[in-house]
Amino acid sequence: MARAAPFPIALLLCLALACGADAARKTVGVYKLKNKKGDFSIKVTNWGATLMSVIVPDSKGNLADVVLGYDTLAEYVDGSSAFGTVVGRVANRIANGSFVLDGKTIHLNKDGTAVLHGGHRGFNRVIWTVKEYVPSGDSPYITLYYRSFDGEQGFPGDLDVYVTYQLSSPYHLSARMNATALNKATPVNLANHAYWNVGGHGSGDVLGQVIQVLASRYTPVDRSMIPTGEVAPVSGTPYDLRAPTPLGSRVRLVSGAGMAGFDINYAVDGWYGDGGLRKVAAVRDPASWRALELWADQPGVQLYTSNWLSGMKGKGGAVYGQYGAVCLETQGFPDAVNHPNFPSQIVRPGQVYRHHMVFKFSF
């Protein structure tokens, strides 16, 4: 498929990237996908393979953008938030920024005591290449590509990474992530870091929304947000969201990094590593009756309730505050490279990592 021109505009940026003294001159654009009916669309940028907007109707046909984000590309490039980005090479945390692989200790480029989301220049801070772009039709899609080089942020081996966003009927958004290790074994754990508010990105907090997470177990963490290695039952704890539960009834009963709210990985029920999609979570907004179901093929999902979001200027003049969204990041377990009892994230040369998720909207 030939590459089409970006919609609606491409911005030429000269960015000094962390790969030497030379600046790389590449095109960063915004690309729109839209269904035939015209009431379901997304925007994507190849900066960080970022999902910039998702517009869907509610029960009365009113359209709203249900992901938090910025108005301009420059804000995504300069911003501190990971709104809608693809994070990797390894999402979530790696304790002490190191792990042992095939008898060799790998030291990563860390900030503080751990590495978060692949390091300070992870996949969310690089320019991806647009490989295919079909903006409309029955199943519009865009495929993005990034070559991660041997030693990038300390990770071993070259890695070819592809992400495809696609719309399908009736109101489904899928994201497919593939990564092939080319010459060395390496951990891979990609995630999409969209901030969801199914009431609309500027509608306020999500405490009145109802959430369900289909997980009977979770991975407790220490004060540094590193998993202890235990996979514990949620039964009898505030983390039990197996039945639909108003977020506001639980959000102040749990905490992450000293802040009230959810920031925890769940072990998804029914995961067997067979690549099959399973229902992971659901969120419903009682005001609009707009709902989201998440289906995926990964062993874990990180629930984060935007605990640290505060006074951030977003799209259309909106100001995002604490609990302004939920992140539902399907993933491998955090710090799996340091916990042999967790599902392995090691991909060896010639092997392909696969991650498929589907966001199903209804109203």
Side-chain angles (χ1 to χ4, degrees), residues 182-207:
L182 300 182
N183 42 41
K184 293 182 183 178
T186 184
V188 181
N189 180 29
L190 308 180
N192 180 272
H193 209 296
Y195 283 65
W196 299 97
N197 184 334
V198 291
H201 77 96
S203 63
D205 66 53
V206 296
L207 298 182

Short mmCIF file of all heavy atoms in Angstrom, two decimals, residues 182-207:
data_model
loop_
_atom_site.label_atom_id
_atom_site.label_comp_id
_atom_site.label_asym_id
_atom_site.label_seq_id
_atom_site.Cartn_x
_atom_site.Cartn_y
_atom_site.Cartn_z
N LEU A 182 16.23 -9.00 16.13
CA LEU A 182 17.01 -9.29 14.94
C LEU A 182 18.30 -10.05 15.21
O LEU A 182 18.69 -10.91 14.41
CB LEU A 182 17.32 -7.99 14.20
CG LEU A 182 16.11 -7.19 13.72
CD1 LEU A 182 16.56 -5.96 12.97
CD2 LEU A 182 15.18 -8.04 12.86
N ASN A 183 19.00 -9.73 16.31
CA ASN A 183 20.32 -10.33 16.48
C ASN A 183 20.70 -10.67 17.92
O ASN A 183 21.72 -11.32 18.13
CB ASN A 183 21.40 -9.42 15.88
CG ASN A 183 21.14 -7.95 16.19
OD1 ASN A 183 20.75 -7.63 17.30
ND2 ASN A 183 21.34 -7.08 15.22
N LYS A 184 19.93 -10.23 18.90
CA LYS A 184 20.21 -10.56 20.30
C LYS A 184 18.90 -10.77 21.04
O LYS A 184 17.88 -10.18 20.70
CB LYS A 184 20.99 -9.43 20.99
CG LYS A 184 22.40 -9.20 20.49
CD LYS A 184 23.09 -8.09 21.28
CE LYS A 184 24.48 -7.80 20.75
NZ LYS A 184 25.12 -6.67 21.51
N ALA A 185 18.96 -11.61 22.07
CA ALA A 185 17.80 -11.76 22.94
C ALA A 185 17.57 -10.46 23.70
O ALA A 185 18.53 -9.80 24.12
CB ALA A 185 18.02 -12.91 23.92
N THR A 186 16.31 -10.10 23.89
CA THR A 186 15.98 -8.84 24.56
C THR A 186 14.59 -8.92 25.17
O THR A 186 13.72 -9.63 24.64
CB THR A 186 16.03 -7.66 23.56
OG1 THR A 186 15.80 -6.43 24.27
CG2 THR A 186 15.00 -7.80 22.46
N PRO A 187 14.34 -8.23 26.26
CA PRO A 187 12.97 -8.15 26.76
C PRO A 187 12.16 -7.16 25.93
O PRO A 187 12.68 -6.15 25.46
CB PRO A 187 13.15 -7.64 28.20
CG PRO A 187 14.42 -6.86 28.17
CD PRO A 187 15.30 -7.53 27.15
N VAL A 188 10.89 -7.49 25.72
CA VAL A 188 9.96 -6.60 25.01
C VAL A 188 8.63 -6.62 25.75
O VAL A 188 8.10 -7.68 26.06
CB VAL A 188 9.74 -7.02 23.55
CG1 VAL A 188 8.80 -6.04 22.84
CG2 VAL A 188 11.07 -7.12 22.80
N ASN A 189 8.11 -5.44 26.02
CA ASN A 189 6.82 -5.31 26.69
C ASN A 189 6.26 -3.94 26.31
O ASN A 189 6.58 -2.94 26.93
CB ASN A 189 6.97 -5.42 28.21
CG ASN A 189 5.65 -5.30 28.94
OD1 ASN A 189 4.61 -5.64 28.41
ND2 ASN A 189 5.69 -4.79 30.17
N LEU A 190 5.46 -3.91 25.26
CA LEU A 190 4.91 -2.65 24.76
C LEU A 190 3.52 -2.40 25.35
O LEU A 190 2.78 -3.33 25.64
CB LEU A 190 4.83 -2.67 23.24
CG LEU A 190 6.10 -3.04 22.48
CD1 LEU A 190 5.85 -3.01 20.98
CD2 LEU A 190 7.25 -2.11 22.85
N ALA A 191 3.18 -1.13 25.49
CA ALA A 191 1.86 -0.76 26.01
C ALA A 191 1.42 0.55 25.39
O ALA A 191 2.25 1.39 25.02
CB ALA A 191 1.87 -0.65 27.54
N ASN A 192 0.11 0.72 25.28
CA ASN A 192 -0.44 2.01 24.89
C ASN A 192 -0.87 2.75 26.14
O ASN A 192 -1.56 2.21 27.00
CB ASN A 192 -1.63 1.85 23.95
CG ASN A 192 -2.20 3.19 23.54
OD1 ASN A 192 -3.06 3.74 24.22
ND2 ASN A 192 -1.72 3.74 22.44
N HIS A 193 -0.46 4.03 26.23
CA HIS A 193 -0.66 4.81 27.45
C HIS A 193 -1.76 5.87 27.28
O HIS A 193 -1.61 7.02 27.72
CB HIS A 193 0.66 5.48 27.85
CG HIS A 193 0.80 5.71 29.32
ND1 HIS A 193 -0.02 6.55 30.02
CD2 HIS A 193 1.68 5.19 30.22
CE1 HIS A 193 0.35 6.57 31.30
NE2 HIS A 193 1.38 5.74 31.44
N ALA A 194 -2.87 5.49 26.64
CA ALA A 194 -3.99 6.42 26.49
C ALA A 194 -4.64 6.68 27.85
O ALA A 194 -4.76 5.79 28.69
CB ALA A 194 -5.02 5.85 25.52
N TYR A 195 -5.04 7.93 28.03
CA TYR A 195 -5.80 8.36 29.21
C TYR A 195 -7.27 8.47 28.78
O TYR A 195 -7.64 9.38 28.05
CB TYR A 195 -5.30 9.71 29.71
CG TYR A 195 -4.00 9.70 30.48
CD1 TYR A 195 -2.81 9.34 29.87
CD2 TYR A 195 -3.96 10.08 31.82
CE1 TYR A 195 -1.60 9.35 30.56
CE2 TYR A 195 -2.77 10.10 32.53
CZ TYR A 195 -1.60 9.73 31.90
OH TYR A 195 -0.41 9.75 32.59
N TRP A 196 -8.11 7.57 29.28
CA TRP A 196 -9.51 7.48 28.84
C TRP A 196 -10.45 8.19 29.81
O TRP A 196 -10.37 8.00 31.03
CB TRP A 196 -9.94 6.02 28.73
CG TRP A 196 -9.16 5.21 27.75
CD1 TRP A 196 -8.10 4.38 28.01
CD2 TRP A 196 -9.36 5.16 26.33
NE1 TRP A 196 -7.64 3.82 26.85
CE2 TRP A 196 -8.39 4.28 25.80
CE3 TRP A 196 -10.27 5.78 25.46
CZ2 TRP A 196 -8.31 3.99 24.44
CZ3 TRP A 196 -10.18 5.49 24.11
CH2 TRP A 196 -9.22 4.61 23.62
N ASN A 197 -11.35 8.99 29.23
CA ASN A 197 -12.49 9.52 29.98
C ASN A 197 -13.69 9.41 29.05
O ASN A 197 -13.86 10.24 28.15
CB ASN A 197 -12.25 10.97 30.40
CG ASN A 197 -13.38 11.51 31.27
OD1 ASN A 197 -14.52 11.04 31.19
ND2 ASN A 197 -13.07 12.49 32.10
N VAL A 198 -14.50 8.36 29.24
CA VAL A 198 -15.58 8.09 28.30
C VAL A 198 -16.71 9.11 28.41
O VAL A 198 -17.61 9.14 27.56
CB VAL A 198 -16.13 6.65 28.45
CG1 VAL A 198 -15.10 5.64 27.99
CG2 VAL A 198 -16.57 6.36 29.87
N GLY A 199 -16.66 9.98 29.42
CA GLY A 199 -17.60 11.09 29.48
C GLY A 199 -17.20 12.23 28.58
O GLY A 199 -17.98 13.15 28.33
N GLY A 200 -15.96 12.20 28.08
CA GLY A 200 -15.40 13.28 27.28
C GLY A 200 -14.16 13.80 27.96
O GLY A 200 -14.12 13.93 29.20
N HIS A 201 -13.13 14.11 27.19
CA HIS A 201 -11.83 14.42 27.78
C HIS A 201 -11.85 15.62 28.71
O HIS A 201 -11.04 15.71 29.63
CB HIS A 201 -10.79 14.64 26.67
CG HIS A 201 -10.90 15.98 26.00
ND1 HIS A 201 -10.14 17.06 26.36
CD2 HIS A 201 -11.70 16.41 24.99
CE1 HIS A 201 -10.46 18.10 25.61
NE2 HIS A 201 -11.40 17.73 24.76
N GLY A 202 -12.79 16.54 28.51
CA GLY A 202 -12.85 17.73 29.35
C GLY A 202 -14.02 17.74 30.31
O GLY A 202 -14.42 18.81 30.80
N SER A 203 -14.57 16.57 30.60
CA SER A 203 -15.81 16.50 31.39
C SER A 203 -15.58 16.43 32.89
O SER A 203 -16.53 16.29 33.66
CB SER A 203 -16.63 15.28 30.95
OG SER A 203 -15.93 14.07 31.20
N GLY A 204 -14.33 16.53 33.34
CA GLY A 204 -14.05 16.47 34.77
C GLY A 204 -13.51 15.11 35.17
O GLY A 204 -13.02 14.35 34.34
N ASP A 205 -13.61 14.80 36.46
CA ASP A 205 -13.02 13.55 36.95
C ASP A 205 -13.89 12.35 36.58
O ASP A 205 -15.03 12.48 36.14
CB ASP A 205 -12.76 13.62 38.46
CG ASP A 205 -14.03 13.71 39.29
OD1 ASP A 205 -14.93 12.86 39.11
OD2 ASP A 205 -14.13 14.62 40.13
N VAL A 206 -13.30 11.17 36.78
CA VAL A 206 -13.97 9.92 36.41
C VAL A 206 -14.52 9.18 37.63
O VAL A 206 -14.88 8.02 37.54
CB VAL A 206 -13.02 8.99 35.63
CG1 VAL A 206 -12.61 9.63 34.31
CG2 VAL A 206 -11.78 8.65 36.46
N LEU A 207 -14.60 9.86 38.76
CA LEU A 207 -14.98 9.18 40.00
C LEU A 207 -16.42 8.66 39.96
O LEU A 207 -16.75 7.71 40.67
CB LEU A 207 -14.79 10.12 41.19
CG LEU A 207 -13.35 10.59 41.43
CD1 LEU A 207 -13.27 11.48 42.66
CD2 LEU A 207 -12.40 9.41 41.55
#
